[in-house]
Amino acid sequence: MVISERREESEISCFQLNVSGKIIDFRLSDEYNLPRAYFHPSNKEYVFQAIHNYLLDFFGDTVEYAWRATYPENPIPHLPNLSLWFFYSTGRSGVRTMETLEKFFASSPIMKMICIRWSRPELISPESKFYQAESHYSRIKHSHNAHAFLKHFQGRQATLFFHEFNVLEFVEFINRWRSGEAFQKLEYLKIKLMSNFHHLIEVLNANGVKRIDRTKKPPIHTVPHLSQSIRVLQRNTDPIISHRYIVRETDNRVASVSVRGDMFCFGVWKETEEEFLRMVE
């Protein structure tokens, strides 16, 4: 189903359907092989709610309902059992202010996934729900924005592309996770450096990084991909196979650490160090 605002009366012929007790205009779409709902902007809240309630009554909670947003000027409705996905690029024509983005994140529920290409130098507020999204698939240009993201991220999974980043900032990330200071929800992190990655291997020499004997085979880390239903087709995250790992001081849980060329990968296990080492072959 496609939903469109009708900003003025048109001669387009529509048919009406009763949707969860609300009469809504529909027509067959020329662009999509789907019915298109038409409504005046002032009626959009009850239209969204009526259609969502109808789908809930029909399918129940057996499917995931996803709302895909691309324009921060349009608020996202607060509806039950709805996953929110935001796709955005600062390189689009027409400059959108930071104030617009900040208001958008503040007014929206915490998002399931954000896919953003961030090329502007401005920093997003540390308190923003931007950092609370469960999953990120983002390209960030400026080093201070990359540093801010890795400092404030509170979600579960992230695949990131950084144009610039310092090895010491990777070490800081590892130390903060190891101490239990931050990233309590983190399951998986992959960062690809677009430049200056030649010293990235030095991350594996940081304090607290442990090593599995080279003659043994380490366990393979992978978890279900949170963003598989829209952005990523693969069911699980990319496997991490590494002889290096660290242990969190607060609960003794393990995270595998991998550096390969321009790629840094970090996968958190549910197992403690003792349980993890029993999986080593």
Side-chain angles (χ1 to χ4, degrees):
M1 181 184 296
V2 183
I3 302 176
S4 299
E5 291 185 3
R6 182 166 57 188
R7 298 189 176 276
E8 57 185 23
E9 293 299 323
S10 69
E11 297 181 356
I12 298 174
S13 59
C14 294
F15 57 91
Q16 294 185 327
L17 294 176
N18 186 323
V19 181
S20 295
K22 306 291 185 181
I23 302 300
I24 300 176
D25 290 340
F26 289 88
R27 68 178 292 267
L28 297 179
S29 172
D30 296 329
E31 184 178 359
Y32 305 97
N33 189 27
L34 297 167
R36 183 190 293 266
Y38 280 85
F39 57 91
H40 190 274
S42 63
N43 297 329
K44 62 183 178 182
E45 288 189 13
Y46 90 76
V47 171
F48 294 158
Q49 185 172 7
I51 293 175
H52 185 63
N53 288 342
Y54 178 85
L55 294 174
L56 279 174
D57 289 341
F58 190 85
F59 294 105
D61 57 2
T62 60
V63 299
E64 180 180 15
Y65 303 93
W67 182 281
R68 176 170 174 161
T70 54
Y71 295 97
E73 295 87 352
N74 299 329
I76 294 177
H78 291 242
L79 297 170
N81 299 335
L82 185 66
S83 296
L84 308 176
W85 308 67
F86 181 51
F87 295 77
Y88 179 74
S89 173
T90 57
R92 290 176 179 166
S93 59
V95 178
R96 295 185 174 89
T97 65
M98 284 296 299
E99 183 180 2
T100 301
L101 275 175
E102 293 285 12
K103 287 182 178 179
F104 173 73
F105 290 124
S107 64
S108 302
I110 293 175
M111 298 185 183
K112 178 72 173 289
M113 191 261 196
I114 292 177
C115 179
I116 192 168
R117 183 185 294 267
W118 190 258
S119 58
R120 296 176 62 156
E122 297 95 329
L123 284 168
I124 295 177
S125 168
E127 292 77 26
S128 174
K129 292 179 185 175
F130 171 78
Y131 300 110
Q132 299 176 34
E134 288 191 50
S135 176
H136 264 267
Y137 188 96
S138 301
R139 184 183 296 268
I140 301 175
K141 181 177 181 180
H142 296 280
S143 59
H144 58 279
N145 278 318
H147 174 75
F149 183 94
L150 209 55
K151 181 177 181 180
H152 302 299
F153 181 58
Q154 301 170 43
R156 294 167 55 189
Q157 298 178 12
T159 297
L160 308 169
F161 300 84
F162 289 167
H163 284 255
E164 304 174 41
F165 211 67
N166 190 296
V167 169
L168 293 178
E169 293 176 304
F170 281 106
V171 174
E172 179 186 352
F173 160 78
I174 287 176
N175 288 338
R176 294 182 70 214
W177 184 89
R178 184 164 57 90
S179 69
E181 175 188 346
F183 315 113
Q184 284 85 2
K185 297 179 182 179
L186 187 63
E187 299 172 349
Y188 174 82
L189 173 68
K190 180 171 74 172
I191 300 176
K192 179 179 175 64
L193 295 183
M194 311 305 290
S195 62
N196 299 326
F197 57 83
H198 304 291
H199 300 289
L200 185 57
I201 194 69
E202 296 175 10
V203 172
L204 298 181
N205 297 323
N207 289 335
V209 177
K210 298 186 177 185
R211 177 182 295 181
I212 297 171
D213 191 298
R214 276 290 175 188
T215 62
K216 297 182 178 181
K217 183 179 179 180
I220 301 173
H221 178 279
T222 186
V223 293
H225 221 306
L226 290 175
S227 54
Q228 64 175 291
S229 56
I230 291 187
R231 178 67 187 181
V232 181
L233 296 179
Q234 65 193 76
R235 183 175 297 275
N236 297 320
T237 57
D238 292 336
I240 301 175
I241 307 173
S242 177
H243 286 79
R244 306 296 182 98
Y245 71 95
I246 61 175
V247 180
R248 187 157 55 192
E249 297 171 354
T250 52
D251 57 7
N252 207 36
R253 284 179 64 180
V254 169
S256 294
V257 183
S258 172
V259 173
R260 293 183 179 274
D262 58 359
M263 197 81 69
F264 172 86
C265 295
F266 190 90
V268 180
W269 294 84
K270 295 180 180 179
E271 287 76 12
T272 63
E273 183 178 18
E274 182 179 354
E275 295 166 336
F276 172 79
L277 292 176
R278 283 203 295 264
M279 296 189 295
V280 175
E281 298 178 10

